[in-house]
Amino acid sequence: MRVFVQAATDGSLSAAARHLGMSPAMATKHVNALEARLGVKLFHRTTRQLALTEAGSNYLAACQRILPEIDEAEAAATSQRLKATGLLRMNVPHSFGRSFLAPLLPAFSRLHPEVVVELGLSDAELDIIAGNWDMAVRIGRLADSPLQARRLGESPMRVCASPHYLDQRGIPRRVSELIQHNCLSYTLTSTQNREYWAFGVNGEIRVPVQGNLLANNGDALLEAAIRGQGIIYQPDFIVAAALASGKLMPLELDKHVVDIGGIHVLYPPDRRPPAKVRVMIDYLVQSFDATKKP
């Protein structure tokens, strides 16, 4: 279309070729291909003259309207890739989003004021592409997928309970003693349920447990544990503040806690993701690095 418009403007295919930086033969091939696809002649061509047909005149007017719109669309797409702007849809686990990510967003917005963040909090692992999410945070071992991944950090598990609960019920020293306690379980993982908790790096040790609360949200279990209801087995990012304040006490048991995998950012398989995605990933990586410093 660009070659056709330039040829109509210059009155010559060779002149259009010079203008567009291609050979006359290539310019001719472009116009021939366009005419073949449309099934009409766009030019009356002689050795000395190039004149538009009636179909060519109508098509020229349409091309002159369309090409600037294409240029504008391409410029907008390029700016999205080069400049952090627009709506950024992020899907993250509820507890992680509430306790770690949400406090970081004000500083991110000051750095990138043209990015609008839509934060989708869900403990269910939603399909990123089908849900039209720009990126997601996932905690645990990653399944094989075409998605790109960037590791943010570790997610060690902690077994803990409130001082009041431990004063009342005693402190377990062995995993075999957990059956004598009220164990509050998280339902969206294979490492724990109402019948057992998994220990050992790969979860190979199944320890019988019992308890009167199961939940699909770590914050709910955290609040119950702080108020003395029982023992919880949760990632560090959920319980770290309560451990630091003394509201919960860590339990040192005779078996290693399960390694559930790290914390990752996932995003669609694009060799050049938009700038809004790149700057958020870099910001999260820097934020995680900052938390590791003394």
Side-chain angles (χ1 to χ4, degrees), residues 3 33 45 47 55 65 80 131 146 152 157 197 201 229 236 258 286:
V3 172
R45 285 182 259 185
T47 55
R65 292 194 307 271
Q80 286 277 321
L152 295 179
M157 296 290 288
W197 284 359
V201 174
Q229 185 169 350
D236 183 74
V258 69
Q286 293 169 4

Side-chain angles (χ1 to χ4, degrees), residues 165-247:
Y165 175 88
L166 297 174
D167 287 342
Q168 296 294 315
R169 300 288 299 272
I171 301 174
R173 305 294 183 184
R174 300 174 180 272
V175 293
S176 59
E177 297 172 20
L178 291 175
I179 192 64
Q180 304 167 16
H181 289 267
N182 197 34
C183 296
L184 316 180
S185 296
Y186 181 64
T187 59
L188 296 182
T189 178
S190 61
T191 63
Q192 56 183 276
N193 56 44
R194 64 181 300 177
E195 296 178 350
Y196 72 85
W197 284 359
F199 288 84
V201 174
N202 296 311
E204 65 275 12
I205 304 170
R206 291 190 174 186
V207 177
V209 297
Q210 59 182 349
N212 61 8
L213 176 64
L214 299 94
N216 64 356
N217 177 261
D219 287 330
L221 297 174
L222 172 66
E223 292 301 322
I226 288 174
R227 285 162 174 74
Q229 185 169 350
I231 298 174
I232 57 172
Y233 187 15
Q234 288 292 300
D236 183 74
F237 70 84
I238 290 180
V239 300
L243 288 171
S245 67
K247 293 179 179 178

Side-chain angles (χ1 to χ4, degrees), residues 88-91 133-136 265-267 277 280-281 284:
L88 175 63
R89 303 187 70 234
M90 298 179 61
N91 176 251
W133 297 100
D134 294 298
M135 58 190 295
V265 172
L266 302 182
Y267 54 97
V277 173
M280 177 58 83
I281 292 173
L284 292 179

Side-chain angles (χ1 to χ4, degrees), residues 80 83-87 108-109 111-117 276:
Q80 286 277 321
K83 183 180 180 181
T85 184
L87 178 64
F108 176 83
S109 294
L111 291 171
H112 305 284
E114 295 185 41
V115 177
V116 177
V117 177
K276 62 185 180 181

Side-chain angles (χ1 to χ4, degrees), residues 4 35 40-45 50-60:
F4 163 68
E35 290 179 330
V40 295
K41 284 291 184 182
L42 299 174
F43 290 117
H44 294 300
R45 285 182 259 185
L50 192 69
L52 285 166
T53 64
E54 182 179 359
S57 294
N58 293 333
Y59 192 63
L60 176 63

Side-chain angles (χ1 to χ4, degrees), residues 32-185:
N32 288 344
L34 191 57
E35 290 179 330
R37 188 170 67 83
L38 296 173
V40 295
K41 284 291 184 182
L42 299 174
F43 290 117
H44 294 300
R45 285 182 259 185
T46 67
T47 55
R48 295 185 177 182
Q49 189 177 12
L50 192 69
L52 285 166
T53 64
E54 182 179 359
S57 294
N58 293 333
Y59 192 63
L60 176 63
C63 289
Q64 288 173 331
R65 292 194 307 271
I66 292 169
L67 285 174
E69 293 179 2
I70 293 175
D71 291 337
E72 183 178 347
E74 289 180 347
T78 300
S79 68
Q80 286 277 321
R81 183 172 59 84
L82 299 177
K83 183 180 180 181
T85 184
L87 178 64
L88 175 63
R89 303 187 70 234
M90 298 179 61
N91 176 251
V92 301
H94 189 281
S95 297
F96 178 85
R98 174 182 170 274
S99 63
F100 184 86
L101 189 55
L104 298 177
L105 293 181
F108 176 83
S109 294
R110 287 192 292 271
L111 291 171
H112 305 284
E114 295 185 41
V115 177
V116 177
V117 177
E118 179 184 336
L119 193 61
L121 301 176
S122 173
D123 287 339
E125 292 194 4
L126 304 180
D127 188 314
I128 296 173
I129 296 177
N132 199 30
W133 297 100
D134 294 298
M135 58 190 295
V137 174
R138 293 288 180 260
I139 300 170
R141 299 181 182 182
L142 298 179
D144 290 337
S145 81
L147 299 171
Q148 298 291 318
R150 180 89 176 267
R151 190 178 184 90
L152 295 179
E154 303 299 324
S155 181
M157 296 290 288
R158 308 289 189 197
V159 182
C160 46
S162 71
H164 175 74
Y165 175 88
L166 297 174
D167 287 342
Q168 296 294 315
R169 300 288 299 272
I171 301 174
R173 305 294 183 184
R174 300 174 180 272
V175 293
S176 59
E177 297 172 20
L178 291 175
I179 192 64
Q180 304 167 16
H181 289 267
N182 197 34
C183 296
L184 316 180
S185 296

